[in-house]
Amino acid sequence: MKAIEFIESLQGKPKADNLSEMTANEYFETTDGKKIIGFLLEKVKVIDERTFELVNFYVRYELERHPLYRGRDFFSDMEALGFTRECINRHPDEMMDHTYVFKAKQSS
């Protein structure tokens, strides 16, 4: 371990190349994950305490290219966090423009 990596581990800040390998829970607890949550806050509509809606008009495209989210998959992360996904609207004239509802699964 190099000195910089040691200091980063003391601060709880993971190396950037490990962000894509973290579980969704771990990732969204990091500073970078919280910045992505901030990015998503501008893109989603919260329906209630268990449900949010996302019009995917290039949002996933932006996330794939975002330096803090590179190497991760939004749909997989949401599933890992316990959300189900339903496409409620497909806009035929726009290939990327679908509306999704994400709902937290019932805990058992």
Side-chain angles (χ1 to χ4, degrees), residues 45-59:
K45 175 183 174 188
V46 176
I47 309 291
D48 59 37
E49 68 272 356
R50 298 173 30 88
T51 312
F52 70 92
E53 182 179 280
L54 168 71
V55 177
N56 186 35
F57 187 67
Y58 295 108
V59 173

Side-chain angles (χ1 to χ4, degrees), residues 15-22 27 32 36 60-74 77:
K15 294 189 315 181
D17 58 345
N18 287 340
L19 292 176
S20 64
E21 298 171 10
M22 292 178 162
Y27 173 76
D32 292 342
I36 292 300
R60 285 182 59 217
Y61 177 81
E62 289 177 50
L63 277 174
E64 288 173 7
R65 280 145 186 77
H66 198 294
L68 301 179
Y69 201 72
R70 193 168 290 137
R72 302 195 64 82
D73 178 70
F74 180 71
D77 279 347

Side-chain angles (χ1 to χ4, degrees), residues 11-14 19 22-37 72 81:
Q11 293 175 326
K13 182 179 178 183
L19 292 176
M22 292 178 162
T23 66
N25 284 328
E26 292 171 334
Y27 173 76
F28 286 110
E29 289 294 323
T30 68
T31 303
D32 292 342
K34 290 182 190 309
K35 289 177 184 175
I36 292 300
I37 290 171
R72 302 195 64 82
L81 290 174

Side-chain angles (χ1 to χ4, degrees), residues 39-108:
F39 165 81
L40 288 169
L41 281 173
E42 300 172 359
K43 311 289 183 186
V44 302
K45 175 183 174 188
V46 176
I47 309 291
D48 59 37
E49 68 272 356
R50 298 173 30 88
T51 312
F52 70 92
E53 182 179 280
L54 168 71
V55 177
N56 186 35
F57 187 67
Y58 295 108
V59 173
R60 285 182 59 217
Y61 177 81
E62 289 177 50
L63 277 174
E64 288 173 7
R65 280 145 186 77
H66 198 294
L68 301 179
Y69 201 72
R70 193 168 290 137
R72 302 195 64 82
D73 178 70
F74 180 71
F75 288 158
S76 296
D77 279 347
M78 293 303 100
E79 184 178 316
L81 290 174
F83 287 95
T84 59
R85 174 183 86 230
E86 179 184 357
C87 182
I88 61 169
N89 193 5
R90 295 182 193 269
H91 307 276
D93 55 336
E94 292 289 337
M95 187 175 83
M96 305 268 303
D97 198 7
H98 299 350
T99 302
Y100 294 97
V101 170
F102 292 87
K103 189 167 194 133
K105 295 176 186 173
Q106 293 280 21
S107 18
S108 33

